[in-house]
Amino acid sequence: MNPHLPAEADIVERIQESPSVFTLRLRLSDPAARGAYCFAPGQFNMLYLYGVGEVPISIVSDPHDPEHLLHTIRVVGRVTRGMAELQVGERIGLRGPYGRGWPLQQAIGHDVLILTGGLGCAPVVSAINYVTLRRSSFGRLTIIQGVKHADDLLWRDRYAVWADMPDTQVLLSADHGGPVWPWHVGLVTEVFGETHVAPERTLVMMCGPEGMMRASVTALRARGIEEGNIYLSMERNMQCALGHCGHCQYGPAFICRQGPVFAYPEVKALFDVRGF
Ligand SMILES: Cc1cc2nc3c(=O)[nH]c(=O)nc-3n(C[C@H](O)[C@H](O)[C@H](O)COP(=O)(O)OP(=O)(O)OC[C@H]3O[C@@H](n4cnc5c(N)ncnc54)[C@H](O)[C@@H]3O)c2cc1C
Ligand code: FES
């Protein structure tokens, strides 16, 4: 695929996850492009709504099936609002995959803690899916999800399935729980005390609002987890995804090329500067 030009992709399935979140299952229209496409969990595609614009969206499906690419999209503005109108049978532009994904090969044989906050759970869903589909290759799996309000929690059924898997712990929290919220009410970092994490063999993958990630890094460090074993996915507005335009610049790094996944020591200097 030409990295500068979107290829056509067919929408083969559309799932409405919540009033403002939907998932598109995409299949590249050209068989040659389809056969050549491969990706790693944590990478993203640039999806192009014809005549409107292009946005970076994480790939949440598993790399064993690169022919069907799942993208879960939250409606926030002009392009995503337009994409929400697309139906099965219509086409969208797709170029990618871009960026550096999660260190899943490195995580083999380790305990894995996956932490996600707010509405930014799409990038880590790919890592959760990867680990759960290859469960015996990994040690203990801990999944922590924090949301502002109970209504923001997507995929309750999936959390229940993950919680039933062997050697897997799922912890959920909401700042505002509501009457039927059975899990923790409060900040996501408050559930860290309930985990059974062995710091020396745990690798952390997280994404979410930067304030939450900052607080989580402090709490994880206090529990003895090495900085080099903490990975996070960063988000910035993007245009080219090719390291050319500078829109995603984060200090010396371009998030589209060196990220979106970084080891914490790689971003630590800027991460501690609020508002950067
Ligand atoms: C690597 C990467 C992966 C992403 N993966 C997903 C995903 O899987 N699912 C998903 O729903 N979204 C994802 N996003 C965010 C998504 O790209 C933006 O929501 C989208 O570009 C918004 O476009 P829009 O035209 O609909 O909104 P706009 O009209 O451009 O913006 C609406 C509002 O959202 C803000 N905004 C736009 N883009 C971002 C951003 N990247 N970060 C923070 N605020 C932003 C704007 O400042 C504005 O306030 C990802 C972003 C990056 C960088
Ligand atoms: S989006 Fe253009 S340099 Fe990263």
Side-chain angles (χ1 to χ4, degrees), residues 20-22 42-46 52-60 70-83 98-99 119-124 210 233-238 248 255-256 259-261:
S20 62
V21 179
F22 60 100
Q43 287 193 295
F44 64 94
N45 282 320
M46 294 298 287
V52 183
E54 206 183 23
V55 289
I57 301 290
S58 306
I59 310 162
V60 292
L70 286 172
H71 297 81
T72 295
I73 304 170
R74 178 170 299 276
V75 175
V76 296
R78 203 168 54 92
V79 179
T80 48
R81 200 176 305 119
M83 284 178 178
Y98 295 118
L119 310 171
C121 56
V124 292
E210 283 176 31
S233 183
M234 304 285 293
E235 261 194 31
R236 286 292 182 277
N237 281 330
M238 287 188 185
C248 68
I255 288 181
C256 66
V261 174

Side-chain angles (χ1 to χ4, degrees), residues 44-273:
F44 64 94
N45 282 320
M46 294 298 287
L47 298 187
Y48 175 46
L49 179 64
Y50 294 112
V52 183
E54 206 183 23
V55 289
I57 301 290
S58 306
I59 310 162
V60 292
S61 45
D62 192 83
H64 85 266
D65 182 15
E67 290 215 351
H68 292 102
L69 302 167
L70 286 172
H71 297 81
T72 295
I73 304 170
R74 178 170 299 276
V75 175
V76 296
R78 203 168 54 92
V79 179
T80 48
R81 200 176 305 119
M83 284 178 178
E85 303 299 317
L86 293 170
Q87 299 300 325
V88 170
E90 292 189 271
R91 284 184 171 178
I92 196 168
L94 182 158
R95 61 186 178 96
Y98 295 118
R100 182 172 61 159
W102 298 109
L104 286 158
Q105 290 305 311
Q106 188 187 329
I108 287 174
H110 288 71
D111 292 354
V112 177
L113 191 159
I114 296 182
L115 172 60
T116 162
L119 310 171
C121 56
V124 292
V125 168
S126 59
I128 299 174
N129 289 339
Y130 190 91
V131 173
T132 54
L133 282 170
R134 298 159 185 82
R135 195 63 199 85
S136 60
S137 300
F138 298 88
R140 187 168 182 75
L141 171 64
T142 307
I143 300 169
I144 302 178
Q145 158 91 63
V147 288
K148 261 202 164 46
H149 195 278
D151 295 343
D152 296 334
L153 185 74
L154 291 179
W155 303 319
R156 281 177 192 239
D157 47 341
R158 287 196 215 179
Y159 286 101
V161 171
W162 292 331
D164 278 345
M165 298 188 93
D167 215 10
T168 304
Q169 186 180 21
V170 173
L171 295 167
L172 305 174
S173 79
D175 297 358
H176 309 284
V180 288
W181 178 258
W183 300 286
H184 180 75
V185 177
L187 297 175
V188 69
T189 45
E190 289 165 6
V191 303
F192 287 13
E194 294 173 42
T195 59
H196 313 292
V197 164
E200 67 289 353
R201 54 164 198 265
T202 298
L203 211 125
V204 180
M205 303 178 205
M206 71 164 109
C207 81
E210 283 176 31
M212 163 260 166
M213 292 205 285
R214 204 176 285 119
S216 299
V217 168
T218 306
L220 292 164
R221 295 285 296 122
R223 295 182 68 81
I225 296 183
E226 294 288 331
E227 286 184 351
N229 287 336
I230 300 175
Y231 288 80
L232 31 90
S233 183
M234 304 285 293
E235 261 194 31
R236 286 292 182 277
N237 281 330
M238 287 188 185
Q239 289 212 342
C240 69
L242 295 166
H244 294 164
C245 72
H247 266 82
C248 68
Q249 188 162 2
Y250 188 63
F254 287 146
I255 288 181
C256 66
R257 295 296 289 257
Q258 282 92 19
V261 174
F262 292 93
Y264 177 63
E266 294 177 294
V267 291
K268 182 180 172 184
L270 292 178
F271 201 68
D272 286 339
V273 182

